[in-house]
Amino acid sequence: MPRQVNAARRIWSAVTERADYLRRAARGAGAERDEVLLGAKTVLAAMAAWVLARYLLPPAVSTFAPFTALVALQATVYRSVRDCLQYVLAMAAGATLAASLAALAGVHGWTFGILTLVSLCVGKVRRFGQQGTQVAIVGFFAFSSGQGQIDYIGHLVAAVGIGALCGLAAHLVLAPARHTHHRQQAVAHLYTTMAQRLKSLADTLEASDPDLDHLRQWRRDWHGLSAECGRIRHAIDTEIENGRMNPRRSVGGGTGEALPRAREAITVAERSMDHLRSMTRTLDYALDSGELGGLPAAFRTRFGAVLRSAATAMLAIGQASPTDPDLLDKRIDVAATELERVQRQEGTSPGASPAAHALRGTLLTDAGRLLADLRSGWQSIAST
């Protein structure tokens, strides 16, 4: 009985999860809607290809039509055309090998072995991509079912053509949606999170009673943000591919430079995150050891101002709308000026303990590297 209850719960959980997925797809544009639409187009294209092939061609080859329709319907138009062409090339190679061997040596066990060996070798050619195994598969069908006959191969080619046309037609009638603006918004949200974290570090530095548990939670959260960078980069790369050969225009996404700039902004975010992680780790150790309390209040306040200025510049870099280059340069200059002032005052301040001096030096070094990466990264984004 308990097993049946657990099984029923798992089934109900799966049904509920799928229902939520469909609700998200119906609610608005996004990955869920794209996947549902792709599935619907695939069903319609495969069905149309199978019906046409059954009506026009012998049953022995009709299955190749819906199979080719599946190959021709990928997440992007570019990938669909690429995979479809690779499949057609692999099919032609496999059919040619089967017809040639059957004509020259006949249909025998040993010739089938030669066909298998040659097909596997030919399928490793890079031009076939992921469709390389189809050289052997199509060769098997043409050799075994078609006995290498030209008539069978001609029908096979026709079935593949029907499937390719049905699949590509479905993709072009309702091309995949463009999500340029969504990708820009994801980058902007990432930068907003990083800027908020930087301002929180400033608050922690200036606080009379910093929260150690909160600081350690931030250290763990950096790993999640690093993984988020990878996910956003993958989504941007997919969207760049989605723009190739896509008849649909980007809605609210800006020019063709928007996505390459967003990808470059992710690179800048990853480099900046290294310095933010280092500062968080330094403050964690300093707070745990009691060294943070030994820092002069004047240094805390001045360094907090540096972090807040850097956070303001970070928000400008990551924003979805075009950034004013002069305004951003001024914001980075303000942060750099603040940092130089702190460094000069640090050099003329009275003697401090070696631990406090090392702590201040580490924080200043991380802040200097952060600003240097923001400046060079912004220049790289602007030149993209």
Side-chain angles (χ1 to χ4, degrees):
M1 188 66 179
R3 291 183 179 178
Q4 294 176 342
V5 172
N6 291 333
R9 287 176 178 174
R10 286 195 296 270
I11 294 173
W12 177 251
S13 176
V15 171
T16 303
E17 182 180 349
R18 197 60 188 173
D20 291 339
Y21 184 90
L22 294 176
R23 277 195 292 269
R24 290 195 301 270
R27 190 162 47 237
E32 292 86 356
R33 175 174 289 184
D34 292 344
E35 186 175 342
V36 169
L37 288 177
L38 180 60
K41 289 189 294 185
T42 301
V43 171
L44 292 175
M47 183 176 64
W50 184 80
V51 169
L52 289 174
R54 290 282 292 182
Y55 179 74
L56 298 174
L57 301 172
V61 298
S62 59
T63 306
F64 280 92
F67 180 79
T68 308
L70 296 181
V71 174
L73 276 164
Q74 302 297 323
T76 67
V77 176
Y78 170 78
R79 196 180 306 172
S80 298
V81 173
R82 182 198 64 192
D83 286 7
C84 191
L85 289 176
Q86 289 175 342
Y87 177 73
V88 170
L89 289 175
M91 180 276 300
T96 300
L97 287 174
S100 300
L101 271 174
L104 293 175
V107 179
H108 307 289
W110 64 273
T111 52
F112 184 84
I114 293 177
L115 173 65
T116 303
L117 177 61
V118 175
S119 298
L120 292 176
C121 294
V122 172
K124 295 184 181 297
V125 174
R126 185 174 299 179
R127 187 175 295 275
F128 294 125
Q130 296 181 348
Q131 306 300 326
T133 56
Q134 298 301 323
V135 176
I137 293 172
V138 173
F140 293 164
F141 273 94
F143 194 79
S144 300
S145 300
Q147 300 293 301
Q149 298 297 317
I150 297 299
D151 289 344
Y152 179 89
I153 293 174
H155 291 146
L156 180 61
V157 171
V160 170
I162 290 173
L165 289 175
C166 289
L168 294 178
H171 234 347
L172 293 176
V173 169
L174 185 59
R178 303 288 303 278
H179 300 298
T180 302
H181 188 61
H182 291 169
R183 306 307 173 223
Q184 290 177 293
Q185 288 292 342
V187 174
H189 178 71
L190 174 67
Y191 269 86
T192 299
T193 303
M194 292 170 58
Q196 291 173 345
R197 190 68 51 80
L198 193 55
K199 292 178 180 178
S200 297
L201 286 178
D203 293 339
T204 300
L205 187 66
E206 296 171 352
S208 58
D209 186 21
D211 189 342
L212 180 59
D213 292 335
H214 201 183
L215 195 62
R216 287 181 174 171
Q217 179 62 44
W218 292 342
R219 287 190 64 183
R220 292 189 290 270
D221 288 347
W222 284 125
H223 296 289
L225 282 179
S226 297
E228 183 67 13
C229 283
R231 287 190 292 269
I232 296 175
R233 182 187 296 278
H234 176 72
I236 290 173
D237 290 339
T238 300
E239 186 57 33
I240 290 175
E241 181 185 284
N242 189 34
R244 299 174 184 172
M245 307 177 72
N246 194 325
R248 295 179 66 168
R249 300 182 63 182
S250 176
V251 179
T255 63
E257 292 79 18
L259 289 172
R261 290 190 178 196
R263 183 170 56 183
E264 191 63 32
I266 289 295
T267 300
V268 177
E270 289 172 333
R271 292 205 303 262
S272 301
M273 209 173 292
D274 290 338
H275 308 308
L276 296 179
R277 270 199 301 264
S278 178
M279 276 191 277
T280 306
R281 184 170 57 248
T282 299
L283 290 177
D284 183 8
Y285 291 154
L287 184 57
D288 190 40
S289 63
E291 295 174 1
L292 186 61
L295 289 179
F299 174 84
R300 293 190 187 191
T301 302
R302 292 192 298 267
F303 191 74
V306 173
L307 297 185
R308 291 189 176 89
S309 297
T312 302
M314 196 174 287
L315 283 173
I317 293 176
Q319 68 184 18
S321 58
T323 304
D324 184 349
D326 295 333
L327 177 61
L328 182 55
D329 285 337
K330 289 179 181 178
R331 288 181 176 178
I332 296 178
D333 288 340
V334 167
T337 302
E338 292 279 355
L339 180 62
E340 290 175 2
R341 185 180 298 115
V342 176
Q343 290 172 333
R344 285 197 303 268
Q345 292 173 347
E346 172 67 13
T348 59
S349 62
S353 66
H357 182 73
L359 175 57
R360 284 183 284 187
T362 300
L363 292 174
L364 290 172
T365 299
D366 284 333
R369 290 173 177 172
L370 172 63
L371 292 178
D373 275 343
L374 289 179
R375 188 183 297 279
S376 62
W378 160 242
Q379 292 170 351
S380 177
I381 293 172
S383 63
T384 301

